[in-house]
Amino acid sequence: MRCPFCGHEDTQVKDSRPHEDGAAIRRRRICASCGQRFTTIERIQLRDLIVVKADGRRVPFERDKLARSVRIALRKRPVDEERIERIVNGLVRHLEAAGEPDILSVDIGRRVMETLREVDSVAYIRFASVHWDFRETKDFAAILETISTSVAADTAPREGDDPPIGDK
């Protein structure tokens, strides 16, 4: 592993520990050249995933981008960092286990929304507002009405449901 401080290629592992409930390994390293210490995290990657965007572009899947989106949706909500990591790990495992190397971005968004709906309704609405590209306050009102109705009926909207707004 290359040292991030001096670029030297000879670094030594000083300590290894399971990380994220055993889904990753945290390694403390030291550079043989400059003596700086740094941490790496190694995760299992079953296959390289490609995200197919709505406009047809194909880009490599980025776990960090998914994690950032989930963290933004859950910002200032009563969900600790450890649970967020478990959520992201579960989402990634689900995507990898699907068996397809190409995944539609809309399918990733639906899966994230399904997960967030179970974790925190505010985070669900935040994520939905970006995923469905809300433009007006009536868009928020429609999804709030859907959530209120589903809570009253003790059922949640099903995965793959269309957005509860105008012509989107």
Side-chain angles (χ1 to χ4, degrees), residues 14-71:
K14 290 298 181 185
D15 181 42
S16 291
R17 297 179 185 189
H19 189 63
E20 300 171 2
D21 294 333
I25 297 175
R26 178 183 180 271
R27 298 193 192 278
R28 284 294 292 156
R29 297 179 178 268
I30 187 167
C31 177
S33 177
C34 69
Q36 291 285 345
R37 294 176 183 260
F38 60 99
T39 301
T40 60
I41 297 177
E42 299 175 19
R43 289 185 179 83
I44 296 170
Q45 182 176 334
L46 298 176
R47 63 178 50 97
D48 290 331
L49 300 174
I50 300 295
V51 178
V52 181
K53 301 285 191 171
D55 63 5
R57 286 181 300 129
R58 298 167 50 86
V59 297
F61 174 77
E62 296 178 43
R63 181 192 188 282
D64 291 339
K65 185 175 179 181
L66 175 66
R68 190 170 43 251
S69 297
V70 170
R71 279 189 180 89

Side-chain angles (χ1 to χ4, degrees), residues 106-150:
V106 69
D107 291 341
I108 296 171
R110 283 184 182 143
R111 181 67 185 174
V112 171
M113 286 184 5
E114 178 183 307
T115 302
L116 289 176
R117 183 180 10 204
E118 296 170 10
V119 173
D120 185 276
S121 59
V122 172
Y124 167 71
I125 292 169
R126 286 176 178 169
F127 191 88
S129 72
V130 175
H131 180 68
W132 284 329
D133 194 22
F134 288 4
R135 302 248 181 216
E136 300 176 17
T137 55
K138 69 180 181 179
D139 299 337
F140 285 96
I143 196 167
L144 287 170
E145 183 178 320
T146 301
I147 289 174
S148 297
T149 303
S150 67

